[in-house]
Amino acid sequence: MEALDLARWQFGITTVYHFLFVPLTIGLSVIVAALQTAWHRTGKHQYLQATKFFGKLFLINFAMGVVTGIVQEFQFGMNWSEYSRFVGDVFGAPLAMEALLAFFLESTFIGLWIFGWDKLPRRVHLACIWIVAIGTNLSAYFILAANAWMRHPVGFEVNEETGRAQLTDIWAVLSNDQAWSTYLHVVAGAFITAGLFVVAVSAFKLLRSRYYGDSGTPGDVPHRSEHDLFRATLRTGMVVTALAGALAAFSGHHQAQLMAEYEPMKTASAEALWDGEEGAGFSLFAVGDIEDGRNHVNIQIPKLLSFLATNDVNGEVAGINDVQRDLAAEHPGNGEVDYRPNIAVLYWAFRVMIGFGLAGVALSVAGLWLTRGSRMPDRPWMYRLAILGLPAALTANICGWILTEMGRQPWVVVGELLTAAGVSPGVGLGSVAFTLTGFTLLYGVLAVVEAGLLWRYVKAGPSHVVPNKEDGADDSDDSDGADTAVPAFVY
Ligand code: HEM
């Protein structure tokens, strides 16, 4: 193994870990802001409880997202100095905008939101969480614009003397079709994940209170108002997931068209399509021989790939062999490069992303039907199944990124810079192995802290939330006002 391989593993591991928190933060910021708005408009104590309860879970995720995001930036300087030299001029602008406009906005107003309860006027306090939500989503746009540029580089020219890409048109970078399309798709995935997070937490609380009582001890008396609260949040999470599911399918279709246009090798590899076809089918299950370049078994839905990739059921989709030939002819200076990414990984990542993601969406749609009117399912396994929606969504997101990033290989910037040319020249295998071990250990500890915190807050539940004095809260509050169950971080 070479330093390059290990550096790629390190980037992959830290990115996947970071991206467990990102979609939750993007989606939960808006859900919490919407819950607080509902409280502001109706004065119902239930919404205040939900805001504070899910607000805490959001804050834990937010903190983890920030910490793990900083590590991502270290990597550019550590293992990818040649890449940083090449893209630095172009990425400087969107990443500075992210820090100055979006991240400062988020971090300032999140502080005001945390400490401003009962101190700031209600409207101002509500505005704070909306600014956090807008900042979080703006942040995502700038980062994704930089990422999209690597798949479809625009608004730049390469300086022949320095060998660096120089920004010529920032607007072209920010309005790149790949940027806004990726943004819509990632935000859809984020809302599916956050919706299913709310569903999973609510289902867990309902399961415990319905079948085991509040304390988790069989025979305990169920907590009526918590039941109503979590029934409402369960359905809210399901509505969010169902709507985001429609956006994911729509934006995913657009992503597939851009992928076929800008990265035809990625499309062909994700479908194990060896030779170009008109009216190509979407593969459901294939077993093949990558060395030989053929499939032994390939079960397909006729014409669906052509529709996904070209918006025309009879459209032509290029195959792996065609694109390899074209790229070799286009880049003679690169020598004998195998332009095929890891076909097996791409093929399965594509299917798992769609399958797991849409299974979570289907679960929510079925859940909305089962909980219509005042109905509630009376089988514990149904609540357990609802909890499984969350790992399904996280897996779909991770597979989406694996498809995007591994599918771009061997390029780090499509058509401009090969990944092998982006690595830091002076960093050896031992150094990368050392930092990789360090990050893995650190991330292991962080995972335990995060899981422990989430578990404690979810278990403690929202009943410690006392109604605001001037609240006009409805009298369904059954809180005893004691917050002893919550270890810290009570705001
Ligand atoms: C009909 C369903 C879907 C289709 C057709 C679809 C299509 C795609 C395509 C083609 C890409 C690769 C884009 C590229 O590399 O240029 C992608 C990436 C991605 N997908 Fe999906 N997807 C679907 C559902 C989902 C769901 C349900 C989720 C999450 C819950 C999800 C999360 C992601 C993520 C995080 C990425 C990486 C970011 C990006 O490149 O946009 N996708 N998807």
Side-chain angles (χ1 to χ4, degrees), residues 19 144 147 151 178 181-186 188-190 192-193 244-245 248-260 263 266 282 308 350 353-359 361 392-405 407-408:
F19 207 71
L144 291 172
N147 179 276
R151 281 178 280 153
Q178 187 65 279
S181 172
T182 298
Y183 177 75
L184 283 184
H185 197 54
V186 169
I192 290 177
T193 314
F250 166 78
S251 56
H253 176 37
H254 194 248
Q255 280 280 277
Q257 289 170 62
L258 294 183
M259 182 164 92
E263 297 172 277
K266 196 190 267 182
F282 179 88
L308 258 183
F350 196 24
M353 171 191 69
I354 297 181
F356 277 44
L358 295 188
V361 175
L394 291 170
T395 310
N397 273 307
I398 289 168
C399 286
W401 276 115
I402 289 176
L403 167 69
T404 295
E405 298 297 299
R408 202 185 49 228

